[in-house]
């Protein structure tokens, strides 16, 4: 449900950063009541999981060795076990074992749709409207691959409404099928669609990079940040300024001038997150799920959480009226229908992730995404190394930067960094030093670099990440350069965009330069009014103006 500003690689980067952030959180699947049926050993084996069903009474999960298990009520054969029996004991789905599930969604029909890392799509469950995409209407009792029109496509994301389905391919093509009474398949009619059909019309020449479904509506984001909606619009959930249904994709014109990174659909409302961390909401608001402070529906996007810090993740689920968001500092907010109570303004929770909001407060308590679970019951080698960074007790070398000491281990530095390996080999035996002075980089930058050698991760504001990008370039640390670029992309704002563009040019970071350039063009009026823009050196300023002009940025 995300979008990048360049091409498909930006989407992969967005998800990579997103899930890297998410995996640092200890997720407790026990917060979903259905998992209390499992033994501690079974819970410890879970790698990915999804809870679904009208009463959150069905679940599917994968283990660390890629086996797939299901348990629960088995309504409409949505467990895929080949029979209609409920089970409180997990049953293995042999057809999916070893498939490495990458995306999963479910309809309230119910039916289940998933895709694998190889891009294959499987479906099972209720099929009265051909939402399984096999051309028939009989229930799917076991997972069956959806082949028609998708066999040669590498699918990277799937989404389900109540009785319709969508699949997004790696090359940006969007397919839809199933129930179409309100135009949610986007075919131009209200006839049900028995097999996957490419959604075209005004999306014909667009690269779709994110999808989401409401109960009977569909939304898509394309790679320039535009948003399109179609299907049922009785509550304004398409954001078009009216409440008329749309049989083909229609652009959300009210979002012109902003670039959307992520979109999420509730039962009949929609959330959208911009590249500046701004949050918009529209559609049904009976339970306060828009976060506007009242219960009035909104036919057009309205900005919310304006006084909060930058939002980095939004969450909603088509079977619930609950909304959630996470800010850059890790604060999690929730609003809408929360355990039957209407919360009309974003409420700060004690949770560390948006998933916990749905586990504890949504009705039903289903998951809004396929949940990745990290289990830690012992310290791995990587975790032990991380623990010993800057430890005076075990270190055998110190760096002094800006008068402050950083304690490290020579062996770790030699193993992890060619720069230090060469340095130590050249003079270490002749001139054994216990303290190395560093004056070409700041303390936050150099500490972050040394910590990266222990942890493989970086936690810096974008302004300091520029300095770290300089260091990574000097030390020929290509992976660190990429991480710095991720941080800068996530932290880009109108105020710092041109400074970041200048840094990207200076450090020969082509991908980052392209990203910053497109951000500046998308927010041209605001960027040109910043101090950074007018303080930029002449040659870069001229080059930017010439390049932006070629892109048509100055046309009326």
């Amino acid at each position: 449900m995300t979008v990048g500003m360049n091409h498909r690689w930006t989407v992969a980067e967005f998800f990579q950063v997103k899930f890297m952030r998410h995996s640092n959180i200890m997720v407790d699947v026990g917060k979903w009541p259905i998992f209390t049926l499992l033994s501690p050993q079974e819970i410890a084996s879970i790698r990915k999981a999804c809870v679904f069903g009208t009463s959150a009474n069905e679940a599917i999960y994968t283990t660390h060795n890629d086996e797939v298990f299901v348990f629960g009520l088995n309504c409409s054969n949505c467990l895929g076990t080949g029979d209609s029996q409920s089970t409180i004991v997990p049953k293995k789905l042999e057809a999916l074992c070893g498939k490495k599930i990458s995306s999963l969604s479910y309809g309230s029909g119910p039916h289940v749709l998933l895709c694998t890392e190889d891009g294959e799509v499987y479906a099972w469950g209720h099929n009265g409207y051909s939402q399984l995409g096999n051309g028939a209407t009989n229930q799917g009792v076991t997972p069956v691959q959806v082949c028609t029109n998708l066999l040669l496509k590498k699918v990277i994301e799937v989404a389900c409404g109540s009785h319709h389905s969508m699949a997004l391919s790696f090359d940006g093509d969007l397919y839809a099928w199933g129930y179409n009474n309100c135009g949610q398949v986007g075919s131009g009619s209200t006839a049900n669609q028995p097999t996957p059909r490419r959604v075209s019309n005004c999306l014909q020449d667009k690269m779709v990079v994110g999808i989401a479904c409401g109960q009977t509506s569909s939304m898509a984001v394309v790679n320039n940040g535009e948003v399109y909606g179609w299907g049922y619009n009785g509550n304004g959930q398409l954001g078009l300024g009216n409440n008329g249904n749309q049989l083909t994709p229609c652009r959300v014109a009210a979002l012109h001038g902003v670039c959307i990174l992520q979109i999420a659909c509730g039962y009949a409302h929609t959330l959208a997150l911009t590249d500046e961390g701004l949050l918009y909401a529209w559609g049904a608001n009976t339970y306060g799920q828009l976060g506007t402070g009242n219960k009035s529906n909104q036919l057009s996007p309205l900005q919310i959480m304006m006084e909060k810090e930058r939002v980095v993740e939004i969450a909603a689920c088509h079977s619930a009226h609950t909304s959630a968001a996470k800010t850059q500092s890790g604060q999690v907010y929730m609003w809408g229908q929360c355990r039957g109570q209407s919360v009309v303004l974003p409420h700060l929770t004690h949770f560390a992730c948006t998933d916990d909001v749905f586990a504890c407060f949504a009705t039903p308590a289903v998951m809004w995404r396929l949940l990745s679970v990290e289990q830690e019951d012992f310290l791995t080698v990587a975790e032990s190394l991380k623990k010993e960074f800057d430890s005076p007790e075990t270190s055998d070398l110190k760096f002094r930067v800006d008068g402050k000491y950083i304690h490290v281990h020579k062996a770790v530095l030699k193993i992890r960094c060619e720069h230090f390996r060469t340095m130590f080999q050249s003079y270490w035996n002749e001139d054994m030093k216990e303290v190395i002075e560093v004056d070409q980089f700041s303390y936050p930058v150099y500490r972050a670099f040394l910590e990266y050698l222990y942890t493989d991760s970086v936690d810096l504001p974008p302004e300091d990440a520029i300095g770290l990008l300089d260091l990574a370039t000097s030390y020929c640390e290509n992976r660190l350069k990429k991480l710095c670029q991720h941080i800068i992309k996530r932290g880009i704002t109108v105020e710092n965009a041109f400074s970041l563009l200048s840094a990207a040019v200076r450090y020969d970071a082509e991908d980052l330069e392209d990203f910053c350039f497109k951000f500046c063009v998308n927010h041209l009026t605001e960027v040109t009014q910043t101090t950074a823009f007018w303080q930029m050196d002449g040659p870069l300023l001229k080059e930017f103006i010439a390049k932006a002009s070629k892109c048509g940025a100055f046309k009326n």
Side-chain angles (χ1 to χ4, degrees):
M1 302 179 194
T2 60
V3 60
M5 293 177 62
N6 279 355
H7 207 261
R8 175 61 59 188
W9 62 269
T10 55
V11 183
E13 288 174 354
F14 183 87
F15 275 109
Q16 181 185 15
V17 174
K18 178 178 174 182
F19 290 124
M20 280 171 57
R21 292 169 61 87
H22 179 64
S23 63
N24 290 332
I25 300 167
M26 177 55 65
V27 178
D28 178 15
V29 295
K31 289 182 179 178
W32 278 269
I34 191 170
F35 279 106
T36 60
L37 293 170
L38 302 190
S39 68
Q41 293 78 14
E42 288 168 326
I43 289 179
S45 73
I46 296 175
R47 181 168 172 258
K48 295 181 179 180
C50 189
V51 175
F52 55 97
T54 54
S55 300
N57 47 14
E58 284 139 337
I60 182 172
Y61 66 89
T62 67
T63 65
H64 291 284
N65 57 357
D66 288 312
E67 291 183 324
V68 180
F69 291 88
V70 291
F71 63 103
L73 184 61
N74 203 16
C75 179
S76 296
N77 297 104
C78 61
L79 293 187
T81 55
D83 58 49
S84 58
Q85 300 300 310
S86 300
T87 175
I88 60 174
V89 177
K91 288 186 177 181
K92 187 186 295 187
L93 287 187
E94 296 287 357
L96 295 178
C97 289
K99 292 290 185 180
K100 296 185 183 297
I101 300 171
S102 60
S103 175
L104 185 145
S105 187
Y106 52 88
S108 54
H111 72 289
V112 181
L113 199 65
L114 66 80
C115 69
T116 69
E117 290 182 4
D118 291 331
E120 298 175 341
V121 178
Y122 291 83
W124 66 96
H126 189 269
N127 195 34
Y129 304 96
S130 299
Q131 57 263 49
L132 301 187
N134 56 15
T137 55
N138 55 303
Q139 285 190 7
V141 298
T142 58
V144 175
Q145 186 176 356
V146 183
C147 296
T148 305
N149 294 332
L150 295 182
L151 196 56
L152 299 180
K153 289 288 183 179
K154 180 179 174 64
V155 173
I156 59 171
E157 187 176 357
V158 291
C160 295
S162 61
H163 297 87
H164 75 287
S165 306
M166 294 204 299
L168 174 61
S169 73
F170 179 82
D171 53 8
D173 291 340
L174 173 58
Y175 291 81
W177 61 97
Y179 199 28
N180 195 35
N181 65 323
C182 301
Q184 57 265 47
V185 169
S187 62
S189 75
T190 55
N192 294 343
Q193 179 61 37
T195 56
R197 174 191 177 278
R198 187 180 174 195
V199 182
S200 53
N201 298 93
C202 58
L203 294 180
Q204 178 68 41
D205 299 318
K206 304 281 188 180
M207 171 178 273
V208 178
V209 292
I211 56 176
C213 290
Q215 277 281 297
T216 49
S217 61
S218 304
M219 303 294 297
V221 186
V222 299
N223 65 339
N224 64 358
E226 295 175 350
V227 178
Y228 291 80
W230 61 99
Y232 184 68
N233 194 34
N235 300 285
Q237 55 261 59
L238 301 186
L240 304 177
N242 58 58
N243 55 10
N245 296 348
Q246 293 292 323
L247 305 185
T248 57
C250 184
R251 184 181 174 189
V252 181
L255 291 175
H256 177 74
V258 300
C259 181
I260 300 302
L261 281 182
Q262 187 189 356
I263 195 159
C265 290
Y267 187 97
H269 75 287
T270 308
L271 306 176
L273 177 63
T274 77
D275 60 349
E276 295 184 280
L278 305 177
L279 177 55
Y280 288 84
W282 63 91
N285 200 27
T286 307
Y287 302 93
Q289 59 264 47
L290 300 185
T292 57
N294 58 54
K295 295 184 179 181
S296 300
N297 292 357
Q298 290 290 330
L299 304 183
S300 297
L302 186 67
Q303 189 180 339
I304 64 168
M305 290 185 69
M306 291 181 288
E307 311 224 338
K308 311 296 183 189
E309 62 176 317
R310 186 186 189 109
V311 176
V312 297
E313 181 179 88
I314 54 177
C317 173
H318 77 271
S319 60
H321 307 282
T322 307
S323 302
K326 185 175 182 178
T327 66
Q328 195 162 30
S329 67
Q331 292 182 319
V332 174
Y333 291 83
M334 69 179 187
W335 61 99
Q337 189 181 43
C338 300
R339 283 281 181 100
Q341 180 177 347
S342 295
V343 180
V344 298
L345 285 170
H347 173 75
L348 179 61
T349 72
H350 64 278
F351 297 132
C353 60
T354 56
D355 305 279
D356 288 351
V357 170
F358 289 82
C360 300
F361 284 92
T363 305
V366 294
M367 293 182 180
W368 71 273
R369 62 177 169 188
L370 181 65
L371 184 66
S372 295
V373 180
E374 293 293 328
Q375 296 290 341
E376 296 178 340
D377 54 3
F378 66 96
L379 288 180
T380 64
V381 172
E383 292 158 353
S384 297
L385 277 179
K386 180 178 180 180
K387 184 171 176 289
E388 293 305 315
F389 171 68
D390 201 16
S391 170
E393 291 79 14
T394 60
S395 68
D396 55 4
L397 177 65
K398 291 185 289 186
F399 285 89
R400 185 160 57 198
V401 190
D402 296 339
K404 301 175 183 177
Y405 288 101
I406 308 170
H407 301 80
V408 294
H409 307 76
K410 289 178 286 187
V412 173
L413 268 54
K414 288 173 66 176
I415 292 171
R416 293 280 288 144
C417 179
E418 180 66 30
H419 171 82
F420 289 122
R421 187 154 53 245
T422 302
M423 175 197 295
F424 295 164
Q425 288 173 349
S426 63
Y427 71 81
W428 199 264
N429 291 331
E430 301 174 7
D431 186 14
M432 192 70 168
K433 294 183 178 179
E434 294 183 357
V435 179
I436 296 179
E437 297 278 353
V438 175
D439 55 13
Q440 65 268 47
F441 301 104
S442 68
Y443 174 80
V445 165
Y446 212 77
R447 178 182 173 84
F449 167 59
L450 294 174
E451 188 170 11
Y452 159 77
L453 298 179
Y454 282 74
T455 65
D456 272 329
S457 62
V458 177
D459 184 15
L460 276 179
E463 291 74 20
D464 284 334
I466 294 176
L468 188 56
L469 179 61
D470 182 18
L471 184 153
T473 304
S474 300
Y475 286 12
C476 298
E477 289 286 337
N478 291 330
R479 182 177 180 275
L480 181 57
K481 285 180 65 175
K482 291 181 180 179
L483 287 178
C484 291
Q485 291 178 45
H486 288 322
I487 292 171
I488 293 169
K489 289 176 184 178
R490 288 295 296 270
I492 193 169
T493 64
V494 166
E495 288 73 22
N496 65 19
F498 216 75
S499 298
L500 299 181
L501 173 62
S502 176
V505 173
R506 187 162 63 251
Y507 301 129
D508 196 27
E510 294 182 3
D511 290 343
L512 179 60
E513 179 185 346
D514 195 29
F515 180 92
C516 294
F517 171 78
K518 289 191 175 182
F519 184 95
C520 289
V521 169
N522 285 341
H523 305 277
L524 188 61
T525 301
E526 296 90 341
V527 168
T528 55
Q529 294 174 353
T530 62
T531 303
F533 181 84
W534 293 108
Q535 289 181 344
M536 195 52 53
D537 61 82
L540 179 61
L541 189 59
K542 290 180 181 178
E543 183 180 347
F544 172 79
I545 293 173
K547 189 175 177 182
S549 180
K550 289 181 181 179
C551 295
F554 301 107
K555 293 180 181 179
N556 291 329

